[in-house]
Amino acid sequence: MTQQKILFVCLGNICRSPMAEGIFRDYVEKNRAERSFIIDSAGTSGYHQGELPDARMRVHASRRGYHLAHRSRRFQQEDFERFDKIIAMDDTNVERLHGMAFGDEQKAKISKMTDYCRVFKATEIPDPYYGGDSGFEHVIDLLEDACKGLLDELI
Ligand code: 4NP
């Protein structure tokens, strides 16, 4: 298998996309497929540049055995060249990425995380930032489902 470069994208890069990165990395490691993937995440905003994931997201992640050590960074146009698949968490971020893409080849790299869900019928990974604990748990439920679907598709 050739190496596949996957980038997860949300707005702040402190909740959903670093969580997606952490879950996908865990599944890839459990499948002993580390050498087959480069995995990263980014935000379409730079509001939280350099920060660790949101403390609430890290607490909910660690309860399920995931350790999140990513530092927030803003998505750059060059990421369209660096990555094979650019996976956004919601429609707004899909639209933002489409607005930054040059040409059909770059646009074709964009997809939405919920497209890979097999169990949940959701169409977006909802932003948990202004909500409570249940929102963070729901994000992890959706992302675990989507990451399983994504890995099945890629391996
Ligand atoms: P994320 O969540 O896009 O899943 O990282 C958010 C984080 C921060 C903000 C919004 C959403 N914010 O407005 O600062």
Side-chain angles (χ1 to χ4, degrees), residues 30-43:
K30 283 180 175 141
N31 277 272
R32 300 201 176 148
E34 295 96 319
R35 273 185 261 158
S36 302
F37 290 97
I38 286 183
I39 306 162
D40 195 9
S41 64

Side-chain angles (χ1 to χ4, degrees), residues 8-24 40-45 53-54 57-58 68 70 87-94 96 112-113 124-130 135-136 138-140 142-144 147:
F8 298 101
V9 178
C10 62
L11 175 63
N13 192 216
I14 55 167
C15 295
R16 294 166 290 175
S17 62
M19 189 69 243
E21 178 191 342
I23 294 170
F24 192 67
D40 195 9
S41 64
T44 55
S45 82
D54 185 283
M57 192 79 259
R58 281 185 282 138
L68 307 184
H70 179 79
I87 306 178
M89 297 297 130
D90 58 27
D91 291 321
T92 306
N93 285 297
V94 168
R96 283 181 171 220
K112 193 165 62 172
M113 194 62 180
E124 295 190 304
I125 309 293
D127 183 350
Y129 192 69
Y130 295 105
F136 287 90
H138 185 51
V139 163
I140 301 179
L142 290 171
L143 290 176
E144 286 182 335
C147 284

Side-chain angles (χ1 to χ4, degrees), residues 9-10 44 75-77 79-80 85-113 115-116:
V9 178
C10 62
T44 55
F75 180 86
Q76 299 171 289
Q77 216 294 324
D79 286 319
F80 280 113
K85 258 187 179 298
I86 296 168
I87 306 178
M89 297 297 130
D90 58 27
D91 291 321
T92 306
N93 285 297
V94 168
E95 282 163 27
R96 283 181 171 220
L97 290 170
H98 270 274
M100 292 175 75
F102 297 150
D104 292 343
E105 204 176 310
Q106 292 192 350
K107 284 195 175 122
K109 294 184 175 186
I110 303 166
S111 61
K112 193 165 62 172
M113 194 62 180
D115 295 344
Y116 307 99

